Amino acid sequence: ARDKQVIITMVIYMVIIFAAMMLLNWKLGIICYGIALFTYLLYYKNAMKYFGGTTGDLAGCFVSLCEVFMAFGAVVGVLVIG
């Protein structure tokens, strides 16, 4: 029951953040969310393939990588889009 509550809360949080990004700059919002989704898919694939699942250390690495890639994507997006 606790896991279901956490999942619902995180989905609501992600929808709110996505809506805010779309209101501020929809192009950069799509770029950042696309990068986040791509990073998550790579993280999940590699965690399952090489480690048999996720761990706290892998989750921390994912968060760090996701933040760096999204920041890079936002900067490149601003330079390209204007």
Side-chain angles (χ1 to χ4, degrees):
R2 181 84 175 146
D3 291 339
K4 187 175 181 180
Q5 186 178 22
V6 170
I7 290 171
I8 291 170
T9 302
M10 292 309 297
V11 167
I12 291 170
Y13 173 73
M14 287 173 41
V15 168
I16 291 170
I17 295 300
F18 183 72
M21 290 176 80
M22 292 297 108
L23 289 174
L24 293 174
N25 189 331
W26 67 272
K27 292 177 185 176
L28 289 179
I30 290 173
I31 290 171
C32 286
Y33 255 72
I35 290 171
L37 179 63
F38 181 71
T39 305
Y40 174 75
L41 292 175
L42 286 178
Y43 153 74
Y44 185 78
K45 178 184 158 235
N46 287 324
M48 293 300 163
K49 181 177 179 180
Y50 296 112
F51 299 100
T54 60
T55 65
D57 290 339
L58 291 175
C61 180
F62 161 70
V63 169
S64 297
L65 287 174
C66 193
E67 289 174 345
V68 168
F69 291 150
M70 286 177 64
F72 179 76
V75 169
V76 170
V78 166
L79 294 175
V80 171
I81 294 170

